[in-house]
């Protein structure tokens, strides 16, 4: 729960600054524990976050390890993030090529690439032109950045997580990442589909997101404190752009979110604008893609081959 660029740090959960002394830290922990306890009017989720935060920084040894990993021991408010850059347990940096030789899904495009490029551009502008930016992924630097910049990195990580899950499904699946979905003049030139996944259960448009907090489903659309616009509606609109260009029919739409942000692993949104839609946690994505979603039409072998060929000939990447 503390690994997303949008999540509050352990210190933030306890309501203290990273340079607080041990006695003040213990006092803050006890206060937050009482305030969030379900017996005193709090809720179990907040209570759990307080307990987890204390596990991470409650002892001198744990706190030192946490500070090193998150850059709090060396990062200052004036933007000095030159130390602590080598330790990043959160895994926010681009992954290195895998040496795994198992059969993988056919993959095209660069998952999360567009958002990572945009993140790096805005991060350099925010730090200041001409100021060296030795490590744009230093955790303390990331957490101090404006929300819109952190959101870009969080979404890039979400897309990369989905790509790893789909890759493990094997050679029966094909996936296209970061697909351009601006069809007519006046459309958003940056409009894209995060993923198109083709397999035995159907052809799906997939949106990978991290809103940084709990999300619910209401009347076929996502609801949450940090949910803006109509993510599902936009997903389907972009799927239709690709559908027209390639001459293919999508079986349905899937939205993938962090597991902790959903009330249950799989939420069935029913049909939205004529397409079946499912919202699921990352841990449930492989199951959803293998089984298909309610109301989706299965594809035969010849149709899968034809759809793959059409998409290969028409897909453009952002």
């Amino acid at each position: 729960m503390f690994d997303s660029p949008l999540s509050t740090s352990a210190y933030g959960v306890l309501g203290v600054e990273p340079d607080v002394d041990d006695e003040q830290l213990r006092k803050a922990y006890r206060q937050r524990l009482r305030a969030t306890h379900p017996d005193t009017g709090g809720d179990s989720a907040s209570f759990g976050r307080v307990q987890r935060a204390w596990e991470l920084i409650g002892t001198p040894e744990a706190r030192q390890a946490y500070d090193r990993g998150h850059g709090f021991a060396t990062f200052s408010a004036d933007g000095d993030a030159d130390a602590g850059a080598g330790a990043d347990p959160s895994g926010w940096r681009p992954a290195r090529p895998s040496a795994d030789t198992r059969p993988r899904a056919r993959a095209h495009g660069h998952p999360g690439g567009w958002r990572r490029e945009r993140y790096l551009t805005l991060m350099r502008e925010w730090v200041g032109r001409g100021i060296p930016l030795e490590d744009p992924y230093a955790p303390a630097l990331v957490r101090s950045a404006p929300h819109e910049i952190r959101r870009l990195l969080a979404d890039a990580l979400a897309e990369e997580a989905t790509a790893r899950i789909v890759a493990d499904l094997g050679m029966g699946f094909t996936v296209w990442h970061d697909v351009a979905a601006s069809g007519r003049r006046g459309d958003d030139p940056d409009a894209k589909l995060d993923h198109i996944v083709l397999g035995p259960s159907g052809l799906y448009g997939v949106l990978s997101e991290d809103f940084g907090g709990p999300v619910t489903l209401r009347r076929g659309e996502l609801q949450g404190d940090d949910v803006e616009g109509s993510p599902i509606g936009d997903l389907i609109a972009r799927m239709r752009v690709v559908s027209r260009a390639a001459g293919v029919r999508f079986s349905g739409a899937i939205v993938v979110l962090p597991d902790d942000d959903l009330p249950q692993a799989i939420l069935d949104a029913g049909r939205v604008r004529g397409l079946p839609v499912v919202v699921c946690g990352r841990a449930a994505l492989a199951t959803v893609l293998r089984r298909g979603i309610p109301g989706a039409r299965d594809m035969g072998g010849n149709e899968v081959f034809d759809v793959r060929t059409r998409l290969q000939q028409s897909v453009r990447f952002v």
Side-chain angles (χ1 to χ4, degrees):
M1 66 178 68
F2 296 100
D3 287 342
S4 168
L6 296 174
S7 63
T8 305
S9 72
Y11 290 105
V13 169
L14 299 182
V16 296
E17 295 297 325
D19 58 356
V20 68
D21 64 40
D22 291 344
E23 180 57 34
Q24 290 176 313
L25 184 64
R26 283 192 292 271
K27 182 178 179 181
Y29 166 63
R30 290 192 293 267
Q31 290 175 339
R32 291 295 298 148
L33 203 63
R34 287 194 296 270
T36 59
H37 197 287
D39 291 345
T40 58
D43 64 88
S44 58
S46 298
F47 186 67
R49 284 193 289 270
V50 171
Q51 291 178 306
R52 177 56 179 155
W54 183 249
E55 291 174 3
L56 291 171
I57 60 175
T59 67
E61 296 78 15
R63 186 176 179 182
Q64 288 174 9
Y66 184 84
D67 287 349
R68 286 194 301 271
H70 289 72
F72 290 122
T74 54
F75 182 79
S76 60
D78 60 4
D80 179 14
D82 58 338
D88 185 7
S90 60
W92 293 346
R93 292 176 178 79
R96 296 179 180 178
S98 173
D100 195 335
T101 59
R102 291 177 298 169
R104 298 278 178 162
R106 299 176 180 89
H108 308 277
H110 187 176
W114 185 92
R115 284 197 166 94
R116 276 199 184 270
E117 286 293 330
R118 186 66 178 149
Y119 164 79
L120 292 172
T121 298
L122 294 182
M123 181 63 86
R124 291 189 181 100
E125 292 178 357
W126 174 68
V127 169
R129 296 184 183 275
I131 298 176
L133 184 59
E134 296 182 7
D135 182 11
Y137 299 107
L141 177 66
V142 172
R143 292 191 185 280
S144 66
H147 182 272
E148 60 269 23
I149 296 179
R150 290 184 286 124
R151 174 70 188 278
L152 284 167
L153 179 56
D155 283 346
L157 293 166
E159 292 177 29
E160 292 163 4
T162 293
R164 289 192 295 270
I165 294 168
V166 176
D168 285 339
L169 293 175
M171 296 181 65
F173 288 81
T174 306
V175 56
W176 293 263
H177 304 290
D178 266 2
V179 176
S182 55
R184 298 180 298 274
R185 184 176 300 176
D187 285 352
D188 179 0
D190 295 326
K192 73 181 185 75
L193 273 177
D194 292 349
H195 324 271
I196 298 174
V197 181
L198 173 65
S201 68
L203 176 67
Y204 299 100
V206 181
L207 172 68
S208 299
E209 287 281 356
D210 179 355
F211 293 108
V215 174
T216 58
L217 189 62
R218 184 181 180 187
R219 296 180 180 177
E221 193 51 87
L222 299 177
Q223 303 286 325
D225 291 341
D226 293 312
V227 177
E228 299 179 356
S230 304
I232 292 178
D234 291 343
L235 168 62
I236 293 175
R238 293 171 182 183
M239 289 167 60
R240 286 178 173 167
V241 171
V242 175
S243 178
R244 289 193 297 267
V248 298
R249 291 176 56 197
F250 280 93
S251 305
I254 302 172
V255 179
V256 189
L257 301 174
D259 296 326
D260 291 340
D261 292 351
L262 290 174
Q264 61 191 61
I266 301 174
L267 300 175
D268 184 358
R271 300 187 76 85
V272 180
R273 301 186 183 180
L275 277 178
V277 179
V278 156
V279 181
C280 69
R282 290 172 190 161
L285 177 60
T287 299
V288 170
L289 286 171
R290 286 195 177 103
R291 295 180 179 176
I293 66 178
R297 180 177 56 88
D298 290 345
M299 286 187 172
N302 291 337
E303 187 178 2
V304 169
F305 178 80
D306 179 61
V307 169
R308 182 188 300 125
T309 301
R310 289 173 179 269
L311 287 169
Q312 281 293 83
Q313 293 173 346
S314 61
V315 158
R316 297 177 297 109
F317 300 99
V318 293

